[in-house]
Amino acid sequence: MDYHAPVQIPMSSPDLTEAESEAVLKVVRSSQLSMGAYIEAFEKAFCDFTGCQHAIAVSSGTAGLHLCIRAAGIEAGDLVITTPFSFVASTNAILYEHGIPIYVDVDPKTANIDPQKVIEAINDLASNTKRAAQWLPRKGANSKQELKAILTVDVFGQPADYDPIQQAASQRDLVVINDACEALGAAYKGRKAGTLGEYGVFAFYPNKQITTAEGGIIVTNNDKAATYMRALRNQGRAPGDTWLQHTYLGYNYRLDEMSAALGAVQMSRLDELLLKRQSVANWYNQRLQKIPSVQIPTLAATTTTISWFVYVIRLADGINRDLLASQLKEKGIPVRPYFLPIHLQPYMVERFGYQPGDFPITEDLGKRCLALPFSGKMSEQQVEFVCQELQNCIDRQ
Ligand SMILES: *Cc1c(COP(=O)(O)O)cnc(C)c1O
């Protein structure tokens, strides 16, 4: 009998030290568990890092996106252009306010929203001609509804192509929301991810570049919106309201002090954390570029820096991705199809009538992409093991 089953490589892993533990313990011992000094320190770290005037820490990245949707004034029936190739939160934030996501397919190279198609969609929807209809879902929307915003996502840590999108948006007074939840530390033409729209959002679930356990943060230079979002996060209490006065319909989206303390230490280690992830990605790149049926991630010319969030490969035609995934799992290697297209999730099909074939590039990526185990804590030996087994499993197909 084999008593020495190999240690399972985790899909992802947070990188924590004694410093994080001590900071969290300090909060616990202080009894100030919410709305204290650590939230302020964490927010200041984000202002310093991004150069933005305001940073508003919240209980999750999804909560941050929701507050941006509220700040952008999205109401029932308003149209928001976004990508179907993302984590569902980017679409859900729109749906929470009964807005309507207008999907635009992605660039096959980067998997980010295609800026040319965004411009086409903006022009068609604004001109309100018959051409507007082609961008709308089969049901649940009509072209009388107004286009208000564009929600871009920096997929897998690579910024979308903002300049053409922002230019088209400015001409029509549309708000750009930058979902940078996967891209802390990335840069587009030298500008930091998260600062590329009116509002930017980062997220800190344990698989992200830094973690607060659960948490997120919004960055913006918009003074009025920042004050509004701070109020919404805190049950709608505007400046001057007492604890039981609520100017707005708000939420409890506050980040607690233990999470903020954890995050403040993680932010102080950001360079180190990003460098480690870069090394692991380099190890993968070196090995996997030699396997013909595996395509490694490619960078756009506009990407100054990718911030490695996940390591996602694409498999050539003829490789059965799902079979490969189960073969790898048997070897103790967890992998994940990344992403399953949002428009084909059951609740989206039911509500908007989407069908396979509606966004062919997104769907093709949805069938080919496979995220390998990835974190800054992986050793070169672990990467080697994953790559060897990947090669073996592909050879067996
Ligand atoms: C992680 C992530 C979010 C936010 O996730 P939370 O779990 O709510 O913190 C939002 N958008 C994208 C693209 C993400 O990857």
Side-chain angles (χ1 to χ4, degrees), residues 322-339:
D322 296 337
L323 175 62
L324 182 64
S326 57
Q327 289 170 323
L328 287 167
K329 275 176 193 158
E330 269 170 38
K331 300 284 178 191
I333 299 170
V335 292
R336 203 169 275 170
Y338 239 87
F339 293 110

Side-chain angles (χ1 to χ4, degrees), residues 60-62 65 86-87 89-90 153 179 181-182 203-205 208 215 309:
S60 71
T62 309
L65 289 168
S86 172
F87 181 64
S90 53
V153 181
D179 178 345
C181 289
E182 303 190 351
F204 312 122
Y205 185 74
K208 310 276 177 174
F309 163 55

Side-chain angles (χ1 to χ4, degrees), residues 34-50:
S34 189
M35 301 204 291
Y38 276 107
I39 281 287
E40 283 171 32
F42 188 51
E43 290 179 342
K44 181 168 184 307
F46 269 85
C47 289
D48 292 346
F49 180 72
T50 59

Side-chain angles (χ1 to χ4, degrees), residues 152-357:
T152 54
V153 181
D154 301 336
V155 171
F156 305 156
Q158 176 162 220
D161 189 1
Y162 281 86
D163 281 349
I165 293 173
Q166 185 63 63
Q167 197 187 0
S170 302
Q171 283 166 3
R172 310 261 186 196
D173 242 353
L174 305 172
V175 180
V176 176
I177 300 167
N178 176 190
D179 178 345
C181 289
E182 303 190 351
L184 176 62
Y188 168 80
K189 299 185 184 176
R191 284 132 61 195
K192 287 202 167 87
T195 68
L196 302 167
E198 182 76 10
Y199 311 107
V201 181
F202 298 104
F204 312 122
Y205 185 74
N207 69 340
K208 310 276 177 174
Q209 288 89 337
I210 72 159
T211 188
T212 59
E214 297 286 355
I217 205 163
I218 305 155
V219 290
T220 185
N221 288 318
N222 183 326
D223 300 339
K224 234 178 104 191
T227 306
Y228 183 53
M229 292 191 283
R230 281 183 188 287
L232 295 187
R233 143 183 103 170
N234 188 23
Q235 302 283 21
R237 296 178 184 107
D241 279 356
T242 64
W243 191 250
L244 294 174
Q245 287 179 316
H246 309 271
T247 300
Y248 311 111
L249 167 63
Y251 315 91
N252 179 357
Y253 282 171
R254 296 183 301 262
L255 187 71
D256 66 83
E257 282 286 290
M258 290 167 288
S259 298
L262 187 56
V265 176
Q266 289 262 288
M267 265 313 263
S268 73
R269 297 177 55 217
L270 182 63
D271 289 347
E272 173 210 336
L273 296 177
L274 295 179
L275 269 173
K276 284 184 181 169
R277 297 175 86 92
Q278 176 71 61
S279 304
V280 176
N282 289 347
W283 293 330
Y284 268 128
N285 282 338
Q286 286 158 12
R287 289 164 175 81
L288 297 180
Q289 68 196 1
K290 297 180 200 138
I291 306 182
S293 45
V294 169
Q295 191 189 323
I296 63 173
T298 39
L299 300 197
T302 51
T303 300
T304 324
T305 313
I306 182 173
S307 173
W308 292 94
F309 163 55
V310 280
Y311 191 90
V312 179
I313 56 168
R314 294 184 201 180
L315 299 164
D317 282 337
I319 307 279
N320 182 331
R321 194 255 325 254
D322 296 337
L323 175 62
L324 182 64
S326 57
Q327 289 170 323
L328 287 167
K329 275 176 193 158
E330 269 170 38
K331 300 284 178 191
I333 299 170
V335 292
R336 203 169 275 170
Y338 239 87
F339 293 110
L340 301 177
I342 301 177
H343 65 284
L344 297 179
Q345 300 286 347
Y347 70 105
M348 294 299 289
V349 170
E350 187 182 314
R351 183 150 170 186
F352 295 110
Y354 287 117
Q355 292 172 8

